[in-house]
């Protein structure tokens, strides 16, 4: 077998990342050597590969679904928003500069097509199949000329296209039809069919509509995936600010990249442990708290008001692509003063990456915000200077008597001038700071840390002795594979991946505008 597939979507967040991961896990269970690929990703949730390259976390998770090590080939272009108008461009895992949206789509994007195609060709020469993920919608007619991630990559690489639609949003038939009808004849010839995502109810009631859709477009539906809670993976989140209305309930996990979105499991001890995460602007790698939420009896929510910290046993100040902007946001909302009070009272606070920098004494930033000297919250004896070169590493160390693994993605260089050592950062009382993302995924360290938090908070909380974060990840990926295997026409999918789009697919007018 040697083939490929592009998983496109009618909209952003239609389920492309999840479906791609599910197809990857289904294929690898059939003995197929498979790899994921996304030409261009816009995300503040990123990961560091073993060779020190930064890629989107969704592709790292899809690589795990394939049971292979992630590499920069799987996500050659990563855009990290720095605000409404500009993004840092990461090429082959390394930052190459900041560009406005107009500057990127005005020419730079098209010049990256050669690099993208070379990466895809390398993967296709190494693996039996490559499952590619698109971005947004392939029918974004204003961007088609410079597209390198949807039909642009499909046309150049001859990939069949499967369009995913989220029926839970409504209007899925119009979305499917309209997506095809706004593509050029050449693009339409590669759109093989559709996959319905997040269906609730009796599939027999949907089937007449699918038959009519087939009659209208000449394209079949390859499956109807039922709605399932907690099946998200570490997806991209373009602006890095999760919608707070989705996180008001205790028991919700991180909002897109989620291990579990179900109710919190009962605690092992007598008490639950409450974690409040400050929803700072341009939040990055908010998936760090997934490992906390994986623990029975730990409830996690995102907050933006100081009164919401009052009943929290632990407050997390997460990473951010805009450290100075996030610091100002904390001050404007009264959260900065609330964090200082917590630290003075010996109530647990954890700062990760940008959050660690915010907790320090001052920041010298001529790189990210270009604001020069800015006072931090002053609760940790740390001084931060932003360097132009980004730190991208996969450190291993020890803390609280346990082995810890993590990854670092930051421009800030911390000069730690006191406190107790804590990973690469420090600890003062019950305030902790580190640049390490992912440290809480180390099971022994997470349990030791939660025991310290529970003791400081006066909670009779006991971490479960057998919670394995890695096992939960694997279980989740297997559930995605099961979803494809049980609810998609896998024989038809196999033929599509192996042989390409069916010949003679009809053109649906009006097509792309001139």
């Amino acid at each position: 077998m040697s083939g490929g597939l592009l998983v496109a979507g009618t909209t952003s967040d239609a389920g492309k990342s999840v479906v791609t991961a599910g197809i990857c896990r289904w294929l690898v269970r059939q003995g197929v050597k498979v790899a994921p690929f996304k030409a261009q990703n816009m995300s503040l949730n990123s990961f560091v590969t073993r060779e020190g390259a930064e890629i989107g976390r969704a592709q790292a998770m899809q690589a795990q679904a394939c049971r292979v090590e992630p590499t920069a080939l799987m996500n050659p272009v990563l855009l990290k928003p720095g605000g409404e108008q500009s993004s840092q461009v990461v090429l082959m895992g390394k930052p190459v500069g900041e560009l406005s949206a107009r500057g990127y789509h005005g020419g730079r994007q098209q010049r990256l097509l050669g690099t993208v195609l070379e990466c895809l060709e390398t993967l296709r020469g190494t693996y039996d199949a490559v499952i590619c993920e698109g971005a947004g919608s392939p029918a974004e007619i204003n961007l088609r000329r410079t597209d390198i991630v949807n039909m642009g990559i499909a046309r150049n690489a001859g990939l069949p296209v499967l369009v995913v639609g989220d029926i839970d949003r409504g209007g899925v038939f119009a979305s499917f039809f309209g997506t095809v009808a706004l593509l050029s004849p050449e693009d339409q010839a590669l759109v093989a069919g559709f996959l319905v995502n997040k269906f609730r109810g009796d599939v027999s009631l949907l089937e007449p509509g699918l038959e009519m859709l087939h009659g209208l477009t000449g394209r079949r539906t390859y499956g109807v995936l039922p709605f399932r809670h907690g099946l998200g993976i570490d997806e991209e989140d373009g602006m890095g600010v999760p919608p707070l209305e989705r996180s008001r309930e205790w028991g919700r996990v991180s909002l897109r990249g989620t291990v579990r979105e179900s109710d919190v499991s009962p605690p092992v001890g007598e008490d639950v442990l409450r974690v409040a995460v400050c929803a700072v602007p341009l939040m990055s790698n908010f998936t760090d708290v997934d490992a906390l939420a994986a623990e029975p009896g730990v409830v996690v929510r995102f907050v933006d008001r100081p009164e919401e910290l009052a009943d929290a046993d632990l407050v997390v100040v997460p990473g951010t692509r805009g450290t100075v902007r996030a610091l100002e946001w904390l001050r404007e909302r009264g959260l900065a003063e609330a964090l200082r009070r917590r630290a003075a009272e010996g109530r647990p606070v954890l700062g990760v990456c940008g959050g660690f920098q915010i907790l320090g004494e001052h920041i010298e930033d001529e790189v990210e915000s270009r604001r020069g000297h800015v006072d931090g919250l002053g609760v940790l004896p740390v001084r931060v200077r932003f360097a132009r070169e980004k730190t991208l590493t996969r450190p291993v160390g020890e803390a609280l008597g346990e082995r810890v693994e993590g990854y670092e993605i930051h421009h800030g260089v911390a000069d730690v001038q006191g406190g107790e050592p804590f990973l690469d950062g420090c600890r003062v009382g019950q305030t902790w700071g580190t640049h390490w993302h992912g440290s809480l995924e180390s099971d022994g360290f997470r349990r030791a840390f939660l025991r310290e938090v529970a003791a400081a908070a006066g909670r009779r909380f006991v971490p479960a002795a057998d919670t394995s974060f890695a096992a939960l990840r694997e279980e989740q990926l297997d559930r995605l594979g099961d979803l494809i295997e049980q609810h998609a026409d896998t024989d038809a999918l196999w033929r599509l991946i192996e042989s390409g789009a069916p010949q003679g697919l009809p053109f649906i007018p009006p097509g792309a505008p001139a």
Side-chain angles (χ1 to χ4, degrees), residues 285-302:
N285 290 68
F286 54 81
T287 47
D288 283 335
V289 299
D290 282 350
L292 294 176
E295 284 286 346
V298 175
V299 287
V300 177
R301 66 179 175 186
F302 290 80

Side-chain angles (χ1 to χ4, degrees), residues 26-364:
W26 161 65
L27 283 172
V28 81
R29 294 195 308 205
Q30 309 308 308
V32 177
K33 189 179 178 184
V34 60
F37 179 77
K38 185 161 185 173
Q40 172 196 296
N41 198 343
M42 176 172 278
S43 180
L44 289 173
N45 284 330
S46 58
F47 183 75
V48 179
T49 67
R50 294 208 179 276
E51 68 267 29
E54 185 180 8
I55 65 172
R57 275 196 67 101
Q59 281 60 66
M61 182 62 72
Q62 289 161 358
Q64 187 176 342
C66 297
R67 297 179 179 145
V68 298
E69 190 67 33
T71 73
L73 291 171
M74 298 170 183
N75 179 208
V77 182
L78 173 64
L79 305 179
K80 303 196 71 175
E84 297 288 344
Q85 300 295 329
S86 68
S87 293
Q88 183 181 67
V89 181
V90 179
L91 179 62
M92 295 303 295
K94 304 296 181 183
V96 294
E98 297 272 343
L99 276 180
S100 67
R102 181 179 293 274
Y104 184 68
H105 290 288
R108 178 63 180 268
Q109 183 180 30
Q110 189 66 18
R111 291 196 294 273
L112 296 174
L113 179 61
T115 299
V116 163
L117 291 173
E118 287 174 10
C119 291
L120 178 56
E121 189 61 28
T122 300
L123 290 174
R124 295 184 80 178
T126 307
Y127 293 89
D128 299 328
V130 179
I131 308 303
C132 307
E133 180 188 343
S137 162
E140 292 169 345
I141 55 179
N142 56 317
L143 302 177
R144 176 61 184 92
R145 183 178 60 84
T146 57
D147 170 47
I148 65 169
V149 65
N150 290 305
M151 301 312 299
I153 193 78
R155 281 271 292 280
N156 278 279
L159 295 171
V161 179
L162 183 68
V163 180
V164 178
D166 180 354
I167 197 170
D168 198 45
R169 295 181 173 192
V172 75
F173 292 117
S175 297
F176 281 144
F177 184 88
T179 296
V180 179
L182 283 176
L183 300 177
S184 69
E186 296 82 2
D187 287 351
Q188 286 194 24
L190 293 172
V191 178
F194 313 108
L195 187 74
V196 177
N197 191 29
K198 296 185 182 178
F199 179 71
R200 306 172 190 250
D202 186 346
V203 176
S204 66
L205 299 176
L206 188 66
E207 287 171 350
L210 300 179
E211 291 171 8
M212 286 185 273
L213 182 66
H214 184 269
L216 288 165
T217 66
R219 290 159 173 84
R220 59 167 298 169
T221 297
Y222 283 76
V224 178
L225 307 185
F227 185 94
R228 292 285 187 268
H229 283 286
L231 283 183
I233 66 169
D234 296 352
E235 300 179 40
E236 63 261 26
D237 182 21
M239 293 308 297
V241 184
L244 285 168
E245 61 271 16
R246 292 178 60 190
S247 63
R248 291 298 183 195
E249 305 169 50
W250 285 107
R252 289 290 180 184
V253 193
S254 74
L255 304 175
R256 291 195 182 184
T258 173
V259 173
R260 300 188 305 187
E261 246 186 358
S262 55
D263 292 334
V264 175
S265 301
V268 175
E270 297 180 45
D271 288 343
V272 299
L273 207 64
R274 289 176 165 82
V275 179
V277 185
C278 296
V280 297
L282 297 174
M283 189 187 307
S284 62
N285 290 68
F286 54 81
T287 47
D288 283 335
V289 299
D290 282 350
L292 294 176
E295 284 286 346
V298 175
V299 287
V300 177
R301 66 179 175 186
F302 290 80
V303 303
D304 64 348
R305 296 192 298 264
E307 56 269 26
E308 293 177 297
L309 305 188
D311 63 348
D313 302 308
L314 169 67
V315 173
V316 178
V317 187
T320 171
R321 170 84 164 89
T323 300
V324 171
R325 178 176 168 184
L327 180 56
E328 291 173 342
W329 181 88
L330 290 168
R331 286 183 167 128
E332 289 166 2
R333 291 176 174 259
L335 285 160
E337 189 55 40
L339 287 167
R340 272 195 288 259
R341 283 198 304 270
R342 282 189 67 93
E345 294 166 0
R347 302 180 65 198
V349 176
L350 171 65
V352 179
C353 200
F356 167 42
Q357 297 166 6
I358 284 168
L359 295 176
E361 294 173 353
H362 70 250
I363 298 165
E364 292 289 342

